[in-house]
Amino acid sequence: MSNSDHIIVVKNLHKHFGTIKAVDGVSIDIERGKVVVVIGPSGSGKSTLLRCINHLEEPTSGEIWIDGEKLTHATKQINEIRAEIGMVFQLFNLFPHLTAMENVTLAQRVVRHRSQAEAEQIAIEKLQRVGIPEKADSYPANLSGGQQQRVAIARALAMNPKIMLFDEPTSALDPEMIKEVLDVMMDLAQEGMTMVCVSHEMGFVRSAADEVIFMDFGKIVEHTTPDGLFNNPQHDRTKLFLSQILEH
Amino acid sequence: MAEQFQTVDPIITADALSSKRRLRDLPWWLFALFLIAIYVFFAISANEDYNAAFVFIKTGLIITIKTTLISYSIAIIFGLLAGLGRISKNVVINNIARLYVELIRGIPILVLIFFIALVGVPVLVNWLNDFGFWLSDNGVGFFGKLFTAVTNQDISMITRAIIALAVTYGAYLAEIFRAGIQSIVKGQMEAARSLGMSYGQSMRYVILPQAIRNVLPALGNDFVAMVKDSSLVSVLAVRDITQVARLYAGSTFRFREAYIVLAVMYLTMTVMLSLLVQLLERRLKTHE
């Protein structure tokens, strides 16, 4: 069914928590290699939407297709699809009992069944790519927030994912560390990685995003380009939101 | 008056204060315990009556240590399984685990030991034997023999005691494991699952290593408790130090010697183990 250009297809997605409709009928098609940034006020359902894409939240109803394959409730299929979708969390979620190197090699060995040597080689490669190969033997507790988040990105990249999801990756960082994480994300975007990011970094939106989705109350209010968002927002709600976050 | 205060050298005051505090913070209770132990050890080496009691009672030491170590090892396995069951989303597994934990924790350990050793084990073995005979009658003698090979006469009281303690402590350890697993933030499981790891893999490689590290002190404390509770197996006539001390006291009427020696033997083990647990706790904290 799905057009092979569309690596993520979401059809009429609903996710309810009790009576709260976190995601309320969202449909999007994301093309391979595109960078899509989801913005919106807190509680607008952007994180929930992201977490439904790799089934960390089970949708109440609706369909999700990843690279032509429909997500079901079968655990095995979901595990396989998750291995193809890297996710970066707001609070990094590194494994504190493992070194940076072990964080990056664990899933490679357990899920991809790579040998220790191969996994380590890939890990060094990815740690170099995010700019901290020298921290390979450090434990997360001895890394700064920015460094932890970069290890988390390396951990996701080591699985060779087709898609990367970023859930407010810079929200928990000190201002001077935001840039080092955004730089890594920009590089990834330039290399053609398909990315879906929940983020309010407008600099990133301007320079890296292909599309911007503005959500409010679980619905997509506006789906546009960065240019369209900044220069020609269609809805009053979008204008109000932009004026609030661009004021400073 | 004011002048008197001014003549006091502030450095000396601070020193005096801190040495006073140091004195106050010393583990006097430990010194006291130590003195009691020294006194009893001295009595054992110098006094014939105490010496005779000790020589007799220490023959039960191997049984006490063996019972404790084996029961505790099995209890760890039961506890881990039941702890995982308690957090399982599977309704059947969850309820079985809950039933086990609540049932065991609602009955006194002494009663459980009687029950498991004298009712639980025999009934279970009889069922298995009957099943074996039924298999043999129906022409599968080979499998039948597996179930009839062990009869109730073959299962010694010490084995029953170990089973009873293990089943009992498993329920208590289950709650420790459950709490340990639940103390790990949700993001850890999510991160592991987002990398494609299964629930089991995430548990094994990500959650349990952290959880077990967190509960090590609690597990240690329960081990100390198990050393003490192993004395309950004496009601099954298992010849641990408590049973041997009872026998000695009963036959010689030297109750004082027997029970003082017995108490100090337990104390020596439990205090040393408790100090080890404290050391472990401190080390875990500094390495956090």
Side-chain angles (χ1 to χ4, degrees):
Chain A
M1 92 100 230
S2 108
N3 184 334
S4 70
D5 277 330
H6 288 141
I7 191 165
I8 303 173
V9 175
V10 176
K11 278 196 208 163
N12 198 22
L13 182 76
H14 288 264
K15 174 65 189 178
H16 300 174
F17 296 106
T19 55
I20 299 160
K21 295 175 177 175
V23 176
D24 189 12
V26 165
S27 300
I28 34 172
D29 297 340
I30 295 172
E31 279 175 48
R32 197 183 301 274
K34 292 285 190 227
V35 176
V36 178
V37 179
V38 186
I39 60 171
S42 64
S44 60
K46 28 187 217 311
S47 282
T48 309
L49 169 64
L50 202 68
R51 292 159 57 86
C52 282
I53 292 176
N54 70 349
H55 235 269
L56 278 185
E57 300 289 353
E58 204 166 302
T60 308
S61 68
E63 287 179 11
I64 294 169
W65 297 71
I66 302 294
D67 207 9
E69 200 176 337
K70 188 182 170 192
L71 283 191
T72 62
H73 298 290
T75 322
K76 193 165 174 291
Q77 185 225 20
I78 288 167
N79 288 342
E80 278 165 11
I81 285 185
R82 278 185 185 141
E84 307 295 329
I85 306 178
M87 184 156 197
V88 176
F89 299 86
Q90 182 176 2
L91 296 173
F92 332 132
N93 295 353
L94 287 184
F95 308 134
H97 61 301
L98 302 178
T99 62
M101 173 63 91
E102 291 162 343
N103 263 279
V104 184
T105 54
L106 177 63
Q108 291 191 65
R109 289 193 295 115
V110 183
V111 180
R112 292 274 191 240
H113 303 293
R114 289 175 187 153
S115 70
Q116 178 81 29
E118 192 189 354
E120 281 186 6
Q121 197 197 327
I122 292 171
I124 290 169
E125 210 175 280
K126 301 302 176 194
L127 286 171
Q128 260 161 2
R129 179 160 178 191
V130 298
I132 40 172
E134 75 281 5
K135 296 291 182 188
D137 295 325
S138 301
Y139 283 91
N142 300 324
L143 299 175
S144 72
Q147 289 169 336
Q148 286 190 54
Q149 192 61 300
R150 285 189 284 160
V151 173
I153 295 173
R155 178 174 70 178
L157 289 178
M159 300 294 286
N160 305 109
K162 295 176 190 161
I163 301 165
M164 286 287 287
L165 306 177
F166 292 84
D167 189 2
E168 307 208 28
T170 55
S171 306
L173 294 176
D174 290 338
E176 68 266 34
M177 290 169 186
I178 291 177
K179 188 177 175 296
E180 64 189 54
V181 171
L182 285 182
D183 284 347
V184 172
M185 290 171 63
M186 300 265 199
D187 284 348
L188 269 179
Q190 265 158 20
E191 287 165 30
M193 174 66 78
T194 308
M195 293 163 66
V196 185
C197 316
V198 172
S199 176
H200 288 146
E201 298 297 336
M202 286 303 147
F204 179 74
V205 173
R206 222 181 285 266
S207 55
D210 296 302
E211 297 169 29
V212 187
I213 292 171
F214 175 64
M215 283 183 75
D216 197 18
F217 292 112
K219 288 181 162 51
I220 292 179
V221 176
E222 196 154 343
H223 187 162
T224 174
T225 60
D227 190 46
L229 177 80
F230 293 119
N231 302 324
N232 190 19
Q234 299 296 308
H235 297 266
D236 289 344
R237 185 66 191 93
T238 318
K239 287 174 198 162
L240 179 65
F241 180 74
L242 280 175
S243 73
Q244 277 163 348
I245 61 167
L246 293 177
E247 230 164 48
H248 325 281
Chain B
M1 284 299 272
E3 272 175 9
Q4 268 183 342
F5 278 113
Q6 276 167 0
T7 55
V8 178
D9 187 337
I11 293 168
I12 291 174
T13 326
D15 244 20
L17 258 178
S18 74
S19 70
K20 203 174 169 189
R21 179 168 301 156
R22 228 174 289 143
L23 268 173
R24 210 181 52 192
D25 288 348
L26 280 175
W28 294 104
W29 60 272
L30 191 57
F31 294 151
L33 277 179
F34 198 64
L35 275 180
I36 294 171
I38 295 266
Y39 176 77
V40 174
F41 291 150
F42 178 74
I44 288 169
S45 63
N47 183 310
E48 236 172 78
D49 295 336
Y50 279 98
N51 188 265
F54 176 71
V55 168
F56 195 86
I57 294 169
K58 83 173 185 209
T59 58
L61 202 54
I62 297 290
I63 298 280
T64 290
I65 292 170
K66 192 173 126 188
T67 310
T68 309
L69 283 178
I70 300 177
S71 308
Y72 193 76
S73 308
I74 303 172
I76 290 256
I77 298 167
F78 286 176
L80 188 55
L81 291 177
L84 287 168
R86 285 278 276 111
I87 55 162
S88 168
K89 287 202 180 90
N90 182 309
V91 182
V92 178
I93 294 175
N94 188 301
N95 276 286
I96 291 174
R98 187 80 195 258
L99 176 69
Y100 165 58
V101 170
E102 300 297 340
L103 192 78
I104 298 294
R105 295 205 314 165
I107 301 172
I109 299 183
L110 184 58
V111 177
L112 277 169
I113 285 175
F114 278 129
F115 185 86
I116 293 171
L118 305 176
V119 183
V121 170
V123 167
L124 190 70
V125 170
N126 281 339
W127 280 351
L128 291 176
N129 288 167
D130 288 349
F131 182 60
F133 289 128
W134 179 81
L135 284 178
S136 299
D137 290 346
N138 286 280
V140 268
F142 173 73
F143 291 109
K145 272 188 199 131
L146 289 177
F147 292 98
T148 53
V150 176
T151 61
N152 270 312
Q153 285 87 339
D154 300 330
I155 303 178
S156 66
M157 273 302 161
I158 181 163
T159 307
R160 296 177 194 212
I162 286 171
I163 294 170
L165 277 180
V167 169
T168 307
Y169 263 69
Y172 289 90
L173 296 186
E175 289 302 275
I176 292 180
F177 281 116
R178 180 187 58 79
I181 292 166
Q182 287 179 337
S183 73
I184 306 301
V185 292
K186 221 174 108 215
Q188 290 289 308
M189 180 56 98
E190 288 184 348
R193 298 307 299 274
S194 79
L195 290 162
M197 290 162 75
S198 68
Y199 179 83
Q201 289 170 335
S202 309
M203 256 308 159
R204 178 169 159 205
Y205 296 109
V206 176
I207 307 298
L208 282 181
Q210 299 181 58
I212 288 175
R213 189 177 183 278
N214 287 352
V215 300
L216 273 181
L219 291 178
N221 287 333
D222 264 31
F223 182 72
V224 177
M226 175 81 106
V227 170
K228 292 181 289 173
D229 281 342
S230 73
S231 69
L232 292 168
V233 304
S234 63
V235 298
L236 299 176
V238 171
R239 294 172 70 97
D240 75 324
I241 51 175
T242 303
Q243 175 67 1
V244 174
R246 272 171 57 187
L247 291 175
Y248 181 79
S251 59
T252 62
F253 296 105
R254 296 206 175 277
F255 290 98
R256 185 173 27 154
E257 289 83 352
Y259 288 119
I260 285 180
V261 167
L262 178 65
V264 168
M265 283 171 83
Y266 278 118
L267 257 180
T268 311
M269 289 189 282
T270 53
V271 171
M272 282 193 321
L273 286 169
S274 297
L275 290 176
L276 276 178
V277 173
Q278 277 179 32
L279 207 72
L280 174 81
E281 205 165 354
R282 214 168 297 160
R283 281 202 55 167
L284 285 175
K285 264 202 190 113
T286 53
H287 282 265
E288 236 155 40

